[in-house]
Amino acid sequence: MRSLVLSSLIAALCFMPPTVAAVTAEPTAGTNAIDHVLLWGRDIDQTTGILAAKLGFQVRPGRNPGGVPNRYVRMTDRSYIELLAIARPDADMDPGMQADQASLKGGPGVRTFGLRSSALEQARDFLKAQGYAATDIFNASPNDPDGAGPSHPPRWRLFAFEKPPLSSNLFYIDYAPDLVPRIRPDEHPNGAREVSAIWLLSADAEADRKQLERMGLAGATPVHLPQIGARGFCVPVGGKGLLALQPDGAGVAADALRNGGPQVLGVGVGVADIAAAKKRVERGYESMLASYRGSLGEAFLAPTQQDLGLLIEFHAMPANGPAKVCGPMPAAG
């Protein structure tokens, strides 16, 4: 029996345009990159407007099968944010979509994220050997309108879990490398280049850390995010970070957990010019925003939680080579 999240993923992927390419996989867990999050909005046009007008992203079109349209914010490193919404009362939603909506109670937010692997079979075998109930690997249809035809590899392949191993839903995915849109560095007016981190919020960050380690994602570093009142661990994934967080006293994290339960609380987005990005978001929200020093240098938090049900932390891209994502995070300034 397919898991709820897998049913939702297959429905979404069946109408997504050509997407990201595979990259070299880690030999044990078969996981090497943060791929994307599924962001539900109240209305697809409203969410598009927030991301474009207030935040300065370029939003690419998707499709609208069964009254559940999607759109995309794609990055130069091929990570992305997928937008979803319900367009009509009788929308054709599979059990996974219904479960997401039940958790979100009709509001915006993220409950599911994906990791990209070019060693999908090895990753699945490894996880099954660790005792996880991984689903079968499902492929895009041979007649996928965005694919290369029945004689070519499927556009995407994925597996999920019958029982979520983490506080938020997780899936593993791979793509056909010859069906990849090339994203220009100047794609986004705000200078965005990558989705660099995903923030998982639950009541027990240690439980998520232990699960990630068992899944082959080790090397966690303790972190403290005073700007949202959270602490936990940063787990390195292909040069980026999965943050397993829990509330640390009163604050944004405690309020989010109390009101929405376990969730993907936020994402980190690397930008080419942090000062220019900050000015653009300040204009969009008509308010001054505080800067602070994060693990990747100067950063600021966009006030997107009410609009999107998701926090977006913009941070400066390193000038000379890759930065250590999962290092100590200084206090907010």
Side-chain angles (χ1 to χ4, degrees):
M1 180 178 178
R2 291 181 182 178
S3 67
L4 296 182
V5 69
L6 181 60
S7 298
S8 181
L9 286 167
I10 291 174
L13 287 164
C14 281
F15 60 85
M16 66 184 279
T19 182
V20 300
V23 290
T24 304
E26 295 294 336
T28 52
T31 301
N32 65 338
I34 286 174
D35 193 66
H36 72 285
V37 297
L38 303 178
L39 172 59
W40 286 90
R42 298 182 182 92
D43 174 88
I44 197 69
D45 291 328
Q46 178 192 49
T47 305
T48 298
I50 293 165
L51 287 162
K54 289 188 174 183
L55 297 169
F57 290 108
Q58 176 67 46
V59 181
R60 293 193 167 206
R63 299 189 182 188
N64 184 6
V68 185
N70 72 339
R71 294 176 186 170
Y72 301 92
V73 175
R74 297 194 178 279
M75 304 295 178
T76 56
D77 75 336
R78 300 168 182 172
S79 57
Y80 63 102
I81 300 170
E82 181 175 1
L83 286 56
L84 296 164
I86 299 171
R88 64 179 195 236
D90 62 342
D92 183 13
M93 293 192 296
D94 63 36
M97 292 178 175
Q98 293 172 10
D100 272 357
Q101 286 299 305
S103 175
L104 290 165
K105 299 180 174 62
V110 177
R111 297 295 183 269
T112 302
F113 71 100
L115 299 179
R116 187 166 71 248
S117 170
S118 60
L120 214 58
E121 285 82 4
Q122 293 93 320
R124 180 175 176 274
D125 289 346
F126 174 85
L127 291 164
K128 285 180 69 68
Q130 297 301 306
Y132 294 105
T135 67
D136 292 338
I137 293 176
F138 292 88
N139 299 335
S141 168
N143 297 317
D144 179 356
D146 292 314
S151 63
H152 294 267
R155 184 163 53 92
W156 53 260
R157 306 163 63 238
L158 70 86
F159 71 86
F161 300 88
E162 298 293 348
K163 180 180 178 182
L166 302 172
S167 58
S168 291
N169 292 319
L170 165 67
F171 62 95
Y172 286 68
I173 191 165
D174 187 22
Y175 305 91
D178 57 343
L179 298 175
V180 179
R182 298 297 175 181
I183 306 302
R184 293 167 51 92
D186 60 355
E187 167 86 354
H188 300 289
N190 63 14
R193 296 290 190 271
E194 66 176 22
V195 177
S196 56
I198 295 176
W199 300 357
L200 309 179
L201 177 67
S202 72
D204 189 349
E206 173 69 5
D208 272 349
R209 184 201 67 78
K210 287 181 177 178
Q211 288 286 73
L212 287 165
E213 184 173 59
R214 184 180 162 202
M215 296 169 74
L217 300 173
T221 303
V223 293
H224 178 215
L225 278 65
Q227 61 271 20
I228 62 169
R231 61 181 173 84
F233 305 92
C234 181
V235 179
V237 180
K240 299 184 179 183
L242 281 178
L243 273 64
L245 302 173
Q246 68 184 52
D248 187 26
V252 172
D255 292 343
L257 186 63
R258 180 175 61 253
N259 294 330
Q263 62 192 269
V264 175
L265 177 62
V267 295
V269 172
V271 296
D273 186 332
I274 190 67
K278 184 168 179 286
K279 287 180 181 178
R280 178 173 286 275
V281 176
E282 287 176 335
R283 287 197 302 270
Y285 277 91
E286 299 182 345
S287 62
M288 300 299 292
L289 302 174
S291 297
Y292 53 88
R293 297 291 297 179
S295 64
L296 294 176
E298 187 177 0
F300 71 92
L301 196 63
T304 53
Q305 192 173 35
Q306 289 298 115
D307 285 340
L308 302 177
L310 179 76
L311 295 172
I312 299 180
E313 181 191 67
F314 292 88
H315 67 82
M317 294 288 290
N320 300 309
K324 183 180 179 183
V325 175
C326 291
M329 293 188 176

